[in-house]
Amino acid sequence: MPVTTLDPKTALIVVDLQAGIVTLPLAHPVTGIVDRSADLLRVFRDRGLPVVLVNVSGAPSGRTDQGRPGTRSFPEGWTDLIPELDRQPEDILVTKHARSAFTGTGLADRLRALDVTQVVVTGIATGSGVESTARDAHEQGFHVTLPVDAMTDRDLTTHEHSVAHVFPRIAEVGSTQDVLDVLAQ
C-alpha cells in the first residue's frame, strides 16, 4: 500500500548503517538499502526536516536463549557510520545499546522538542533495530512510515515476517519512492 501522507514535521531515522553491520551477509544487496536511505537523507535535509543517524555499540544485559551479551568489544571502526550517510552537523546522532533507537537515548524528547509528530524509519536489521524503533515510536504516539525497500535483515524470513505481519499494525508501509513522492507534493 503506498504512503498517503507525511506530517509537516516528520523526521527520518536511519538505523545501524554502520561499518560493522553493512559488511554482514544480508537478505538484500546492501548497496540498494544504502542508496535509498541516502536518497531520503538528501530530500529530508533539503527540506530542513530532522535527520537521526543511529549506530549500535552494545546490547541489553539480560539473559536470552542465545546467552548473555555481557560486555562486548567491537573492532576499531565497527560502530562508524558509513560515509554514504554524509553526516551533517545538524543531524541527531544516537548511539544505542538496545534494539530500539528510543531506549535510554532521550530520542523521543529530542524529537518532541522539535515538534516532530511522525518518523520514517530505514536501515538494518528489519526484524531487530528497525522493527524495535518503529514499535517504540508507534507506542510513544508518533505516526510511523516504513519504506520497506530501504531496509533489510540477515534473514529473509525475518524481514518478510516483519513487513507482512508486524509493520501494517504499527505503521504506514510503502516504498522509498512513495515517501519521496509525498515529500514532493
Side-chain angles (χ1 to χ4, degrees):
M1 183 173 219
V3 175
T4 61
T5 189
L6 293 173
D7 295 349
K9 276 299 212 162
T10 297
L12 175 64
I13 302 175
V14 180
V15 177
D16 300 348
L17 292 186
Q18 63 189 65
I21 292 179
V22 299
T23 58
L24 297 172
L26 299 166
H28 302 94
V30 75
T31 302
I33 306 311
V34 170
D35 290 347
R36 286 183 283 279
S37 292
D39 289 344
L40 289 165
L41 283 164
R42 278 189 293 281
V43 173
F44 269 73
R45 288 177 180 137
D46 286 349
R47 291 190 169 30
L49 294 170
V51 166
V52 181
L53 302 177
V54 181
N55 67 349
V56 60
S57 69
S61 60
R63 286 188 303 271
T64 68
D65 283 348
Q66 295 180 343
R68 184 175 237 166
T71 304
R72 179 177 174 198
S73 65
F74 297 101
E76 186 173 332
W78 194 88
T79 62
D80 293 349
L81 295 170
I82 59 174
E84 294 88 340
L85 301 182
D86 190 28
R87 182 177 174 201
Q88 298 297 305
E90 64 274 9
D91 294 344
I92 298 168
L93 177 62
V94 171
T95 297
K96 62 186 175 87
H97 296 89
R99 284 170 190 79
S100 170
F102 289 94
T103 301
T105 65
L107 179 58
D109 292 335
R110 291 181 78 182
L111 293 177
R112 284 191 182 97
L114 296 171
D115 298 320
V116 169
T117 56
Q118 183 165 2
V119 296
V120 174
V121 185
T122 72
I124 302 171
T126 308
S128 187
V130 173
E131 181 178 316
S132 293
T133 298
R135 281 178 182 263
D136 226 350
H138 174 75
E139 290 173 4
Q140 294 190 45
F142 292 98
H143 300 288
V144 180
T145 299
L146 299 167
V148 297
D149 61 345
M151 62 184 70
T152 193
D153 200 289
R154 291 186 70 173
D155 179 73
L156 181 60
T157 303
T158 301
H159 171 84
E160 291 172 343
H161 175 79
S162 293
V163 169
H165 301 286
V166 177
F167 291 172
R169 295 178 11 200
I170 62 171
E172 201 169 46
V173 181
S175 69
T176 298
Q177 191 59 54
D178 291 336
V179 175
L180 294 172
D181 290 347
V182 172
L183 284 167
Q185 297 175 359

